C-alpha cells in the first residue's frame, strides 16, 4: 500500500534539492498538497513551489503531476490489474489499468502469484495487487483484494459459428473476446457491430455473453460513437435501479422557496436543445445611487432537489462526471426523466431553480449579488438565432412584449458587461469551432462553422458572472467547494513560446509578470497577417489545461481570481456539487452537501477532471473516425490544408473544410534529411535549409484512411520553403542516418503523437 509521507522534521527550507530528497524518502506519497504541507508552503510560496516543480519536470528530473510526482523510472508498487488471459500453464495474467507507455515504457503483463490461496478470481475480474517487476519469471503480482465488478457491456464484430451461435471479436486490442451461445444472438448478421452483455464469468475458457444490441453497419455515426464510448470506458446505459429512482421522482414543492413565477425569465439555447438548464432576465436598476445600472438574474435548474447524496442517481452521476456530446446523440449524465423533464426549464411550466440576482453599474462592474431558491416559470423558449434576429429588427416571430420587455433590457445589460470584460482582458483566442452535420443515413453530410452571435456571447458572459458569484458566496460563508481552476502557463512552456515568438520578432514579457493581456497583445499584433492562425495555435498550446480543484488558484484564461462552475448541473457533476454547497452554506433547505461529501471533495475533483478529459477524447476520436470514414472513398484526391502539428515523426495537416488531421510521415517528405526544430515548430532540411512550419498552408494528397482508428495519411505536394528565423538548436543538430520508409501504423502514430499536443 502507499506509504504515509514522513514528517519533514525541523528542516523546511524549500529548494530543488529538498524537493527531490522528499520524493526519495516518500515514494508513492508526493502530491502537491503533500509537498506544500511538508515544507509549510503558504501564500506566495505556492508559486515558488510551482516553479520548482515545473523546472524539475522540464529538466526530466520529475515525472507525473496529475495525481502525484515521482522521480523518473519509479514504478508503482500497488496497482489495479484486469485479468485478461492465462499463460501456457493455465496461470492467470493481468494487465495494469491506466498505464502510460509514454511515461513508463511498454505495458508489462503480470503473472498472479498465489492465486489459489487468495481471493477467487478469474478472467474478466479486476484486482488490487502488489506489483513486482523483476524476477526469474518476469513481472508478477500478489492479489490484495478482488474489486467490485461493474458489469459493463462490451463491443465487437459478430462472427457466426456453426450451430447457431457466434463469437464477438473485439474492436480494441485490450478488450476480451466473447462466445455467444445459440439463441442469444438477436439475429445479428456476420460482420455486424454489436454490444455484448457479459454473463457471469467462469474461471476457465473464453467469457460468454448475449447480444444486447445490434448496432449494424460500421458505416454509421452511431457505430462510430459507440466504439468511442467503449474505447474510453464511458458508461452509457443506465442501470435499472437508477432508472427506477428517476421515475419515482415527482415535481418540487414551494417548500423553502420564493415564488418567482411572474418574473419573465427566458431560456436562450441552441435550436435543437432538448434540456434547458439556465434562464435569464435583466432590467434597469431603479436605485438612484446606481444611475444607468442593471439588475441581472440568472436562474439555474435545481438538480440538487432531485439528485441527493447517497442515492443511486448520485452515484451514477458522479461516475459519469458529465454528459458526452456526439454529432448524432448525447450520452447524458442524468436520465431523461430528470434532465429533459423535471429539471428542464420548459416554457410555461413551473420548475424549481437556484437563482442569483446581480446588480451591475453602468460600466458593468458588479456592485452586489444574492442567491435564492425559487419556483420559476419560463416565459419564452428562444433559439440564439431567434433572439438575435429580434434584436437586429428582422422578422422573427418573437412576441413584441418579449422583445421590448425582456430582450432589449438583456442586451443593454450585456453591453455594460462587455465594457467590463474589455477592462478585465481575458485571453482572447480566435479558434472557430466546427460542427458536423449528418445526413439521414447517419453519415457526414458537411462540416460547418456556426456563426458566432452576440446572443451566444450574452449568455456566455452572464453565465460567467453567475459562476463568479457562486465562488464568492461560498468563500464568504467559508463553505468547502470545487473550483474551476486554470493555472498560468508553466515556465517550460513559456520559454518554448518565447523562443518561437522570437523567430517572428515578437516580444513576450517575463514569466513572473505574465497576464492574459500580454498574450492578447501578441494576438492583436498578428491579426490579419499570414501568421495569425499559427500564433493563435501556438499560444493555445502554451496554456495549461483547466481542471477541477479544491484549491483556488484562480482562472488564468478568464483572468478571474475565483471561479466555480454553477450554471450546468444537468450535464456537469461539478455544478451539482456547487449547488449543494450553496444550499447548505445559505441554509436553503434540503439537498445540501453532506460532511461525507465535503471530506471527499478532493477525490471528487480529481475524478470529474478525469471524466472531462475522457469525454473530450471520446468526442475528438469520434470526429476523427467520422471524417476518416467520410474520406475513405476519396483516396488519391488533393486537398488544401494547414500544418497544425510538427513532431520528430512528421507533420499533422488539418483539412479546414473538415476540421480533421492527417499525418505526413517525415520519411516521405523528400530526398533531404529533415531536422525537428522544437522551438520554431519546424522541420528543416539539413542540406537545403528549406522546410515546413506550423501554420503553413499546404497542398496534400490523401493516400490512406483508417476509419476504425480515425487516422489519415497524406502525401505532401507543397515543396519545402525557406524559413527565416529558425533557432540555433537546428544548426547544432547532429546528422543521423535517414530512417527507412516504414509501413503506416495509423493508430500508433496518430494516436500517440496527437495525445501530446
Amino acid at each position: 500500500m502507499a506509504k504515509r509521507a514522513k514528517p519533514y522534521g525541523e528542516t523546511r527550507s524549500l529548494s530543488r534539492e529538498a524537493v527531490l530528497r522528499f520524493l526519495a524518502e516518500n515514494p508513492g506519497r508526493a502530491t502537491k498538497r503533500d509537498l506544500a504541507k511538508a515544507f509549510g508552503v503558504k501564500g506566495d510560496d505556492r508559486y515558488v513551489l510551482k516553479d520548482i516543480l515545473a523546472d524539475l519536470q522540464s529538466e526530466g528530473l520529475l515525472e507525473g503531476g496529475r495525481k502525484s510526482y515521482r522521480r523518473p523510472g519509479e514504478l508503482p508498487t500497488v496497482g489495479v490489474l484486469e485479468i485478461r488471459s492465462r499463460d501456457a500453464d493455465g496461470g492467470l495474467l493481468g494487465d495494469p489499468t491506466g498505464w502510460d507507455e509514454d511515461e513508463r515504457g511498454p505495458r508489462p503483463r503480470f503473472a498472479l502469484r498465489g492465486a489459489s490461496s487468495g481471493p477467487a478470481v478469474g478472467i474478466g475480474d479486476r484486482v488490487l495487487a502488489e506489483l513486482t517487476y523483476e524476477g526469474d519469471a518476469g513481472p508478477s503480482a500478489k492479489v490484495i483484494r478482488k474489486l467490485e465488478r461493474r458489469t459493463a457491456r462490451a463491443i465487437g464484430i459478430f462472427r457466426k459459428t456453426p450451430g447457431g451461435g457466434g463469437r464477438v471479436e473485439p474492436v480494441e486490442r485490450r478488450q476480451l473476446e466473447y462466445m455467444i451461445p445459440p439463441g442469444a444472438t438477436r439475429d445479428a448478421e456476420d460482420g455486424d457491430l454489436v454490444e455484448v452483455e457479459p454473463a457471469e464469468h467462469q474461471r476457465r475458457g473464453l467469457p460468454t455473453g448475449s447480444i444486447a444490441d445490434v448496432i449494424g453497419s460500421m458505416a454509421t455515426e452511431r457505430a462510430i460513437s459507440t466504439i468511442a464510448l467503449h474505447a474510453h470506458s464511458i458508461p452509457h446505459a443506465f442501470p435499472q435501479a437508477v432508472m427506477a429512482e428517476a421515475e419515482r421522482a415527482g415535481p418540487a414543492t414551494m417548500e423553502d422557496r420564493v415564488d418567482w413565477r411572474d418574473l419573465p425569465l427566458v431560456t436562450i439555447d441552441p435550436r435543437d436543445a432538448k434540456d434547458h438548464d439556465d434562464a435569464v432576465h435583466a432590467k434597469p436598476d431603479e436605485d438612484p445611487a446606481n444611475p444607468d445600472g442593471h439588475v441581472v438574474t440568472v436562474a439555474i435548474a435545481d438538480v440538487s432537489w432531485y439528485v441527493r447524496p447517497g442515492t443511486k442517481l448520485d452515484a451514477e452521476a458522479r461516475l459519469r462526471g458529465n454528459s458526452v456530446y456526439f454529432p448524432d446523440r448525447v450520452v447524458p449524465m442524468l436520465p431523461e426523466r430528470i434532465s429533459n423533464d423535471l429539471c428542464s426549464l420548459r416554457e410555461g411550466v413551473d420548475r424549481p431553480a437556484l437563482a442569483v440576482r446581480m446588480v451591475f453599474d453602468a460600466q458593468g462592474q458588479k456592485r452586489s449579488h444574492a442567491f435564492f431558491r425559487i419556483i420559476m416559470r419560463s416565459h419564452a423558449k428562444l433559439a440564439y438565432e431567434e433572439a438575435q434576429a429580434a434584436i437586429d429588427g428582422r422578422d422573427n416571430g418573437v412576441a413584441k412584449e418579449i422583445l421590448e420587455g425582456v430582450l432589449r433590457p438583456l442586451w443593454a445589460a450585456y453591453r455594460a458587461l462587455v465594457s467590463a470584460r474589455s477592462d478585465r482582458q481575458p485571453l482572447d483566442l480566435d479558434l472557430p469551432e466546427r460542427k458536423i452535420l449528418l445526413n439521414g443515413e447517419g453519415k457526414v453530410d458537411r462540416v460547418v462553422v456556426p456563426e458566432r452571435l452576440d446572443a451566444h456571447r450574452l449568455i456566455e458572459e452572464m453565465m460567467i458572472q453567475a459562476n463568479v458569484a457562486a465562488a464568492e458566496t461560498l468563500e464568504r460563508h467559508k463553505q468547502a467547494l470545487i473550483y474551476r481552476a486554470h493555472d498560468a502557463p508553466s515556465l517550460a512552456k513559456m520559454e518554448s513560446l518565447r523562443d518561437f515568438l522570437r523567430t517572428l520578432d515578437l516580444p513576450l514579457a517575463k514569466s513572473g509578470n505574465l497576464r492574459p493581456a500580454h498574450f492578447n497583445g501578441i494576438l492583436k499584433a498578428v491579426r490579419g497577417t499570414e501568421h495569425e492562425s499559427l500564433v493563435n495555435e501556438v499560444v493555445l498550446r502554451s496554456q495549461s489545461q483547466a481542471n477541477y480543484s479544491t484549491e483556488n488558484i484562480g482562472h488564468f484564461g478568464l483572468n478571474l481570481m475565483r471561479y466555480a462552475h454553477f450554471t450546468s448541473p444537468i450535464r456537469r457533476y461539478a455544478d451539482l456539487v456547487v449547488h449543494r454547497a450553496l444550499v447548505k452554506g445559505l441554509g436553503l433547505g434540503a439537498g445540501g452537501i453532506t460532511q461525507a461529501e465535503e471530506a471527499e471533495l478532493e477525490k471528487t475533483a480529481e475524478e470529474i477532471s478525469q471524466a472531462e478529459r475522457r469525454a473530450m477524447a471520446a468526442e475528438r476520436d469520434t470526429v476523427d473516425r467520422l471524417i476518416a470514414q467520410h474520406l475513405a472513398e476519396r483516396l488519391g484526391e488533393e486537398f488544401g490544408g494547414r500544418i497544425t502539428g510538427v513532431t520528430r515523426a512528421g507533420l499533422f495537416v488539418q483539412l479546414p473544410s473538415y476540421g480533421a488531421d492527417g499525418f505526413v510521415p517525415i520519411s516521405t517528405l523528400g530526398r533531404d534529411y529533415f531536422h525537428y526544430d522544437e522551438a520554431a515548430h519546424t522541420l528543416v532540411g539539413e542540406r537545403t535549409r528549406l522546410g515546413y512550419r506550423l501554420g503553413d498552408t499546404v497542398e496534400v494528397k490523401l493516400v490512406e484512411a483508417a476509419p476504425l482508428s480515425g487516422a489519415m495519411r497524406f502525401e505532401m505536394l507543397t515543396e519545402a520553403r525557406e524559413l527565416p528565423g529558425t533557432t540555433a538548436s537546428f544548426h547544432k543538430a547532429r546528422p543521423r542516418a535517414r530512417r527507412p520508409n516504414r509501413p503506416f501504423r495509423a493508430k500508433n502514430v496518430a494516436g500517440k503523437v496527437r495525445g501530446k499536443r
Side-chain angles (χ1 to χ4, degrees), residues 419-452:
S419 175
R421 180 185 177 92
S422 298
D423 292 340
R424 192 176 84 238
Q425 287 209 52
L427 189 59
D428 188 21
L429 288 166
D430 183 16
L431 297 166
E433 294 187 10
R434 291 171 175 81
K435 183 176 182 180
I436 293 180
L437 301 181
L438 305 176
N439 59 25
E441 298 176 350
K443 299 181 180 180
V444 176
D445 180 27
R446 63 188 189 278
V447 181
V448 300
V449 179
E451 184 182 2
R452 180 87 166 141

Side-chain angles (χ1 to χ4, degrees), residues 127 147 254 318 395 417 584 659:
V127 298
L147 300 177
M254 288 293 298
R318 174 171 169 161
D395 185 23
L417 294 179
K584 178 185 176 184

Side-chain angles (χ1 to χ4, degrees), residues 79-109:
V80 175
L81 302 180
E82 293 188 1
I83 312 304
R84 297 193 175 277
S85 58
R86 293 182 180 273
D87 59 22
D89 298 324
L92 295 171
L93 298 173
D95 294 340
T97 63
W99 187 275
D100 191 329
E101 294 188 353
D102 291 335
E103 290 186 3
R104 299 174 176 173
R107 182 190 302 267
R109 174 161 288 181

